[in-house]
Amino acid sequence: MSDRSAAGPAHGLTPFIEIGRDEWAALAAGTPQPLTDVELVRLRGLGEPLDSREVAEVYLPLSRLLNLYATGARQLHERTRGFLRSSTDTTPFVIGVAGSVAVGKSTVARLLRELLARWDDTPKVELVPTDGFLLPNAELERRGILARKGFPESYDRRALLRFITAVKSGAAEVRAPFYSHEAYDIVPDAEVVVHRPDVLIVEGLNVLQPPLRTGLAVSDLFDFSVYVDARTSDIEEWYIERFRRLQTAAFSSPRSYFHRYASLGPEEARTTASTIWHEINEPNLRENVLPTRSRARLVLRKAQDHAVHSVLLRKI
């Protein structure tokens, strides 16, 4: 185990410790991997080679650590309530999961939802992607920023902040907009409803962004945050491969917003995906997403084959 900064060492001082994969995997040695092969197929992202070994060695220890944090937060609440002679209820433990397009953060979020729910102390876990807080396409077009979809300005950040605030205030029911990846837009009159879970996972590109000017940022209301990291060149290849796989999957539907890409040949598809990456996703990663990495509590560092090779954990 060694010290290392998520943003690079600064004169040898860092708030993080780096834990190698073998040492990290040993933290959950002997703990049964609860997910079946069928469940793993359902949970993995398109083109991600997720297997039971990766779950057992990386995500099972992470779920146990998060379970300990959530249980500890509940115990701290009980002691604080006794000290204040208060009768307030415990509020949900909120986890943010951030990272680039195509890095696998959605798969990480889904895995954590399933694994955390298997621990006795956190049986009720809900997941909300921040895609639902993107501005509708019509509004993005009105503002002239449809091509910047996914950049911070394309989100209703105040609505997202209100949503997390309501969850952390202990509201019995909180509603969020629903986003369709097929339609590439917000679905009118459709909602995601959260009913006071033990744990809420919030997943998205920009969940670790600092506040707009002054006041609260969404991440200020997180109890824990995870950043999924990899070399930019690797993420680019994953994005291009995912695009090509989507041609015969989601893009093949005539209802898909991206149906026009379904008939592209292999070279044309690669060129198109590469252009989209370099014009939209890579600039967003470098300008907005990557700078938030050091704000995470824990960083999962992926190798070229998608496997996590080390973990950075903020010192306590």
Side-chain angles (χ1 to χ4, degrees):
M1 186 180 297
S2 62
D3 287 359
R4 184 166 179 177
S5 169
H11 305 295
L13 300 176
T14 170
F16 290 89
I17 55 173
E18 181 172 12
I19 308 171
R21 180 178 175 118
D22 291 344
E23 188 175 2
W24 178 257
L27 299 176
T31 304
Q33 198 280 88
L35 302 179
T36 66
D37 290 340
V38 172
E39 288 173 312
L40 289 180
V41 170
R42 176 173 56 84
L43 291 170
R44 71 166 62 110
L46 197 64
E48 290 184 54
L50 179 69
D51 57 23
S52 58
R53 178 181 175 184
E54 189 75 2
V55 173
E57 295 186 358
V58 176
Y59 298 104
L60 194 56
L62 177 55
S63 74
R64 181 53 176 158
L65 179 67
L66 291 170
N67 172 262
L68 290 173
Y69 269 82
T71 303
R74 189 179 302 121
Q75 292 170 347
L76 177 60
H77 170 82
E78 292 298 325
R79 293 184 180 184
T80 304
R81 184 169 66 174
F83 174 73
L84 296 175
R85 299 175 185 176
S86 168
S87 59
T88 57
D89 292 331
T90 304
T91 59
F93 187 87
V94 180
I95 301 168
V97 178
S100 171
V101 167
V103 79
K105 64 184 179 302
S106 297
T107 299
V108 171
R110 290 192 297 267
L111 268 173
L112 292 179
R113 177 188 60 194
E114 296 300 319
L115 291 171
L116 279 168
R118 310 299 171 102
W119 295 103
D120 292 339
D121 297 325
T122 52
K124 187 178 180 183
V125 185
E126 298 193 34
L127 168 61
V128 173
T130 58
D131 293 341
F133 294 93
L134 283 161
L135 294 168
N137 286 353
E139 178 61 19
L140 293 173
E141 289 179 342
R142 188 187 71 80
R143 299 186 186 191
I145 58 171
L146 183 59
R148 290 178 66 82
K149 195 168 189 176
F151 283 69
E153 64 268 27
S154 67
Y155 291 85
D156 188 342
R157 295 172 71 178
R158 290 184 175 86
L160 177 57
L161 182 59
R162 288 194 298 269
F163 171 80
I164 303 297
T165 299
V167 170
K168 287 302 291 182
S169 72
E173 181 178 281
V174 187
R175 297 175 181 271
F178 178 79
Y179 183 84
S180 166
H181 287 276
E182 182 179 66
Y184 193 59
D185 205 353
I186 301 297
V187 178
D189 302 321
E191 294 177 310
V192 177
V193 184
V194 173
H195 298 96
R196 268 195 114 220
D198 298 304
V199 177
L200 173 67
I201 300 171
V202 181
E203 172 264 315
L205 288 167
N206 298 295
V207 295
L208 296 180
Q209 286 285 317
L212 287 170
R213 295 178 184 85
T214 59
L216 281 175
V218 168
S219 59
D220 291 333
L221 298 172
F222 292 162
D223 297 289
F224 200 99
S225 53
V226 176
Y227 185 96
V228 186
D229 192 27
R231 290 184 300 183
T232 301
S233 58
D234 290 338
I235 304 173
E236 177 184 356
E237 285 301 315
W238 299 342
Y239 176 79
I240 292 171
E241 179 60 26
R242 188 179 72 173
F243 183 95
R244 295 174 67 175
R245 288 175 180 269
L246 282 169
Q247 285 187 279
T248 56
F251 293 175
S252 63
S253 170
R255 296 187 300 273
S256 172
Y257 181 88
F258 297 105
H259 181 62
R260 61 189 181 277
Y261 296 137
S263 60
L264 296 179
E267 289 305 315
E268 193 176 7
R270 182 175 182 86
T271 299
T272 300
S274 181
T275 298
I276 295 171
W277 171 261
H278 287 293
E279 291 183 354
I280 300 174
N281 295 309
E282 185 179 17
N284 193 22
L285 170 60
R286 294 190 184 279
E287 295 167 18
N288 301 302
V289 182
L290 192 56
T292 70
R293 179 179 58 187
S294 60
R295 304 185 76 233
R297 181 68 63 88
L298 181 142
V299 179
L300 294 172
R301 310 188 80 171
K302 284 189 168 187
Q304 189 176 22
D305 62 354
H306 270 286
V308 172
H309 63 80
S310 65
V311 174
L312 296 178
L313 178 63
R314 189 178 294 275
K315 297 173 183 176
I316 299 176

